[in-house]
Amino acid sequence: MLESIVSFVDGSALNQWIVAAWWIWPVFEILHFFGLSLLFGGLLVIDLRLAGHFRRLDPGATHTLIPVVLAGFTINLITGILFFYGDPVTYASNAMFQIKMVLIVFAGLNALVYYWLLHPLVHNWTTSSEAPLAAKVVAYISLTLWTAVMLCGRLIPYIGEYLGTGN
Amino acid sequence: MFVWIEGTPIAQWVSLSLYAYPFLLSVHIVGLAVVVGIFMMRDLRLIGCFKSLDPVAFLSLGRLAWTGFFFNAVSGLMLFTSQALTFAENTAFLIKIAFIVAGMALAGVIHARLRVSLLVGSADISRSTRTVALCSLLTWTGAIIAGRLVAYIV
């Protein structure tokens, strides 16, 4: 599957544009770092409250941060796809990149579990409610997966057959 | 002085070990997400977003951000030692450090004000606090931009 994506991307007009424009990488990297701050910052508040910390916060109120998390994810999805377009062969063959993609899928599945099973419950919480075990598990899995996603991303230039000039 | 720094055992380890640089960068990225992530949520709240969220809760969340900052100060210093001379002459790096100092000073101001709100029991956010929060948000955005450009600008 990965090979057919690579052959589709490699040599495409978008691929050539990104390869040719030197300013694209730093600009998209800045956006990618900005996006991860929004994504992880929002999740820290939501997930740590879900796990039972920071009881001052109304659990339902932390959900107003979900649009920020989704905005961060969208920025990073778009810039991430464009990174891939800029160097499809090296990304596709990079172990850290592959693991990162799998972890993002798991994080998405974990978010669905949260949305279907816990979201309806959280709205009935008060600031004094004890966090149920399921909530703690989902919250810590979420933070662990996203931390691992960042680590894999950061290590792409260092581990896993990367042929580019990483920095 | 920077030449001396580059000759210290820590600097030697960071620049020669195959694992030191990627390891320190890994710590640095997670620390960045914690520090900038929490401070950005706090600043957005103070500017007027997510009104149902108790702003005083960012005092205890702030402690987590300070912890992240500690890890990034240590990992950042270690990364610095390996190429002290190059970093000290890199404009983007110097601007990044200035932004971080400003951001931490603004965090001190904001958290002092949140502590007052906690004591007084008021949830009102003054106009000047909103301005400080906006400055802080721009400062951390600037730190990310300058930090990333360190790798591109000599």
Side-chain angles (χ1 to χ4, degrees), chain A residues 102-117:
Chain A
V102 172
L103 291 175
I104 291 173
V105 171
F106 281 135
L109 293 174
N110 187 58
L112 286 179
V113 170
Y114 165 75
Y115 189 74
W116 282 327
L117 298 178

Side-chain angles (χ1 to χ4, degrees), chain B residues 71-84:
Chain B
F71 277 96
N72 270 24
V74 173
S75 56
L77 263 172
M78 290 175 76
L79 289 165
F80 174 81
T81 60
S82 69
Q83 297 172 70

Side-chain angles (χ1 to χ4, degrees), chain A residues 29 34 56 64-65 158, chain B residues 25 40 50 54 118 148 152:
Chain A
E29 281 176 10
F34 188 74
R56 272 194 82 90
T64 55
L65 292 170
Y158 297 93
Chain B
L25 284 176
M40 275 185 169
F50 343 117
D54 180 5
L118 181 65
R148 203 72 285 272
Y152 291 92

